[in-house]
Amino acid sequence: MKKTDVFISYKHHSEDGGVARDYSIAKELYEALTEAGISTFFSDETLFEFGISDYKKAIDNALDNTHILIVIATKMDYLSSGWVEYEYETFCEDILSGRNPTGIIVSYTDGISSKTMPRTLARFQNYDMKKAPVEKLVKYVENNLNKNISSETVERGKAKGTASANPASNTVNVTSSVVKAHHKSNYSSDYSNEFKRLEIQAQHAKESDDTSIKFVFENAGWPEDASLTVLDVGSAYGFVAADRFSPLPQVDKILCIDNNPRVIERARIRFAENEKMIFETVDIESPDFESRLREIMDRLDIPHIDIVFSALTLLHLKNPDRVLRRLRSFMTKGSYIILRGSDDGSKLCYPGYELMQSIIQKSLQSKGASDRANGRKQYTQLLDAGFRDVRMFSFMTDLSQFPFNERESLFQESFSYRIDNFKRLLDANPDGAKEKNDYEWMRNTLEEFENMFFKTDFWYCEYDYVGVGKL
């Protein structure tokens, strides 16, 4: 049997022996998918086409050769009917056993809550017919098929020992370390709502930063009357530097550098009365970075840097390894470096995991995206840059720590910004069909996922990763 993209599972007959409403919905979906160029197994049509009389054999063959199983049900009882239950249980077993590791199950139901669904289906994405037209389900399928095709390309490339011809395949699977290609991201710290989002982010990361800073001071052996200089690389508005380092009596100067002059000017105004805080515009990836920073340090009478601190900056750089090596020249023996990063691979939620993954995958594949697999790389990056005694700390943030009215802040920090890059691409090419479709997809999907954040039975977690190294 030829490979198909989608298998539609539905109950054909109602309790009275007539044709169930599910059939007409399945047929409508089949026609919409077929019109979109998506090969689909629909038993009423496909079995007739193949001329196969052995129904079970045909079903098993189809399940073995499909990417996405869509389960349709207008009544709860239909989910436990013979063939429907057999089809999704078999398909799920293939996913869990590794026989079909990229398989996806999605249900399309009429007012059936995920809470009341059979356990097998409850773990996967569910679309409500009253809220999601068939067209939305087709779009979901299209996006996930793009992800599956790219993943298969990666696997074929591995098997042959060659690089994939698909450039997007290097950033498909956030849970593996395939994100290898570095490029400077399109990120801008003064775009859209970044000021407010960075302020929220600084509050949420306080525990992870304070713990790593405490570790450094406990192990550095600096005297109480030390006059230390901190360099905050990629400081943005200075929220983190002011909160973490200003209160420390041993810190004399906090040199904050960022490549955005508008942000630096705003930070200067905000912290004008803080004598420790110094803001300068510096591009750490420019050819003259070292001479520019040395000129600033000479002007400020700073002989060396005692603590280099950088939060969520390396992921935006084209060559973070080189930047780390260059930063070493401004440090001295006994100096410390503290790096905070994040990693989309650490994000978990239930239910709605597939929906969250589709958002993450789409973000990774957009032009100018940052390296969202940054957290897992920090240990190796620090060692390769010549730092020693490298320690890694991880800190979990999850919704169980947040009162109901504060859930929005976590969503804003971790997800709402993901539309910004798509908006920038659309602004650059307002007539582009791809740019329009990508932007609308992300806007609609983020809205759907945001709604889940406010459900009492929804759980989400993520980790901050902090690497500490000594020179």
Side-chain angles (χ1 to χ4, degrees):
M1 178 176 286
K2 65 181 180 180
K3 204 165 188 69
T4 54
D5 296 320
V6 175
F7 183 113
I8 301 177
S9 177
Y10 67 98
K11 193 173 190 316
H12 193 288
H13 294 99
S14 59
E15 298 87 340
D16 59 6
V19 176
R21 176 176 159 232
D22 299 48
Y23 168 76
S24 61
I25 296 169
K27 186 174 179 61
E28 180 186 1
L29 177 60
Y30 169 74
E31 292 172 349
L33 289 167
T34 302
E35 186 176 347
I38 299 170
S39 60
T40 304
F41 183 93
F42 174 49
S43 59
D44 188 62
E45 300 288 340
T46 315
L47 284 184
F48 177 79
E49 177 187 338
F50 292 152
I52 299 176
S53 59
D54 189 339
Y55 191 85
K56 183 177 184 301
K57 182 179 178 181
I59 293 298
D60 287 341
N61 285 339
L63 291 172
D64 285 342
N65 291 278
T66 195
H67 284 305
I68 300 175
L69 175 71
I70 299 178
V71 181
I72 292 175
T74 57
K75 295 183 179 181
M76 184 66 180
D77 292 345
Y78 289 177
L79 293 175
S80 57
S81 65
W83 282 113
V84 173
E85 185 175 36
Y86 174 80
E87 287 159 1
Y88 68 70
E89 289 287 358
T90 300
F91 198 76
C92 182
E93 184 177 338
D94 287 347
I95 294 174
L96 297 177
S97 68
R99 184 174 179 176
N100 185 6
T102 61
I104 294 172
I105 299 177
V106 56
S107 52
Y108 191 48
T109 61
D110 187 5
I112 301 175
S113 168
S114 296
K115 296 179 184 178
T116 60
M117 282 185 174
R119 187 180 298 274
T120 297
L121 291 178
R123 71 177 75 186
F124 296 103
Q125 179 65 32
N126 175 43
Y127 282 91
D128 191 325
M129 296 174 187
K130 292 184 173 65
K131 300 177 182 177
V134 165
E135 291 75 20
K136 186 170 184 178
L137 193 57
V138 172
K139 180 60 67 175
Y140 172 86
V141 169
E142 288 177 330
N143 288 320
N144 277 280
L145 284 177
N146 287 337
K147 179 177 69 175
N148 278 331
I149 290 169
S150 297
S151 298
E152 287 183 350
T153 307
V154 171
E155 293 304 317
R156 287 197 297 268
K158 288 178 181 177
K160 296 178 181 178
T162 58
S164 168
N166 181 0
S169 65
N170 283 336
T171 56
V172 169
N173 187 357
V174 71
T175 58
S176 69
S177 56
V178 297
V179 186
K180 297 177 180 178
H182 287 302
H183 57 268
K184 196 176 184 68
S185 77
N186 289 337
Y187 175 76
S188 175
S189 49
D190 65 343
Y191 188 82
S192 186
N193 197 36
E194 273 301 278
F195 179 87
K196 181 61 177 176
R197 192 184 76 85
L198 289 175
E199 193 172 32
I200 292 171
Q201 189 179 79
Q203 296 168 1
H204 289 172
K206 181 173 175 58
E207 180 187 3
S208 59
D209 291 343
D210 286 348
T211 301
S212 56
I213 292 169
K214 180 181 179 182
F215 171 82
V216 167
F217 274 80
E218 287 177 348
N219 288 272
W222 291 312
E224 293 185 3
D225 60 349
S227 183
L228 304 176
T229 297
V230 176
L231 174 67
D232 185 352
V233 179
S235 62
Y237 300 95
F239 299 130
V240 173
D243 180 81
R244 304 331 184 232
F245 294 104
S246 282
L248 303 178
Q250 292 157 298
V251 173
D252 180 53
K253 294 185 179 72
I254 308 168
L255 176 55
C256 302
I257 61 175
D258 196 278
N259 67 348
N260 191 324
R262 298 181 299 276
V263 169
I264 287 294
E265 186 56 35
R266 189 169 178 178
R268 283 174 178 158
I269 296 171
R270 184 180 182 87
F271 295 103
E273 297 182 3
N274 189 324
E275 296 181 356
K276 291 185 178 183
M277 303 282 285
I278 306 163
F279 293 90
E280 295 286 347
T281 303
V282 178
D283 184 348
I284 57 178
E285 289 199 293
S286 68
D288 65 345
F289 160 63
E290 288 164 296
S291 60
R292 166 75 174 142
L293 184 55
R294 182 60 64 188
E295 179 272 323
I296 293 172
M297 290 173 61
D298 289 345
R299 170 162 48 87
L300 297 171
D301 194 25
I302 299 175
H304 63 264
I305 303 298
D306 298 291
I307 300 174
V308 172
F309 177 87
S310 186
L312 301 171
T313 297
L314 293 188
L315 71 165
H316 300 301
L317 306 181
K318 180 179 181 180
N319 194 337
D321 298 340
R322 184 166 183 259
V323 168
L324 288 176
R325 292 194 300 269
R326 296 170 83 182
L327 286 170
R328 290 179 77 253
S329 64
F330 300 97
M331 303 169 70
T332 189
K333 186 175 181 180
S335 296
Y336 279 83
I337 185 169
I338 303 171
L339 301 178
R340 171 157 50 86
S342 66
D343 198 306
D344 278 345
S346 75
K347 291 174 169 53
L348 295 173
C349 73
Y350 186 83
Y353 181 74
E354 290 291 337
L355 182 64
M356 181 188 73
Q357 283 293 90
S358 69
I359 293 170
I360 291 173
Q361 300 293 356
K362 193 73 170 178
S363 300
L364 288 174
Q365 293 171 352
S366 65
K367 182 179 178 181
S370 57
D371 181 1
R372 300 302 309 177
N374 161 256
R376 71 192 71 176
K377 301 176 181 178
Q378 290 187 156
Y379 180 78
T380 300
Q381 287 174 330
L382 286 169
L383 287 174
D384 288 346
F387 293 98
R388 57 192 176 91
D389 299 335
V390 175
R391 288 283 304 272
M392 291 298 299
F393 301 89
S394 60
F395 301 86
M396 187 179 81
T397 298
D398 78 295
L399 276 182
S400 66
Q401 303 173 30
F402 287 76
F404 182 82
N405 60 352
E406 292 183 16
R407 289 182 172 221
E408 183 179 3
S409 68
L410 183 57
F411 181 83
Q412 186 174 348
E413 176 195 346
S414 298
F415 287 96
S416 63
Y417 74 92
R418 293 174 188 266
I419 200 169
D420 290 349
N421 195 42
F422 294 93
K423 183 64 166 63
R424 278 190 289 264
L425 294 173
L426 179 60
D427 289 342
N429 186 19
D431 296 323
K434 183 179 186 306
E435 286 77 9
K436 289 179 181 178
N437 290 337
D438 286 348
Y439 174 77
E440 285 301 318
W441 183 94
M442 183 57 72
R443 185 175 66 84
N444 292 331
T445 310
L446 281 173
E447 182 178 330
E448 182 178 354
F449 192 54
E450 182 182 9
N451 289 336
M452 299 188 75
F453 254 70
F454 291 92
K455 294 182 178 179
T456 55
D457 62 345
F458 178 78
W459 180 78
Y460 167 83
C461 82
E462 64 179 35
Y463 281 83
D464 284 333
Y465 296 94
V466 180
V468 177
K470 184 179 181 182
L471 193 62

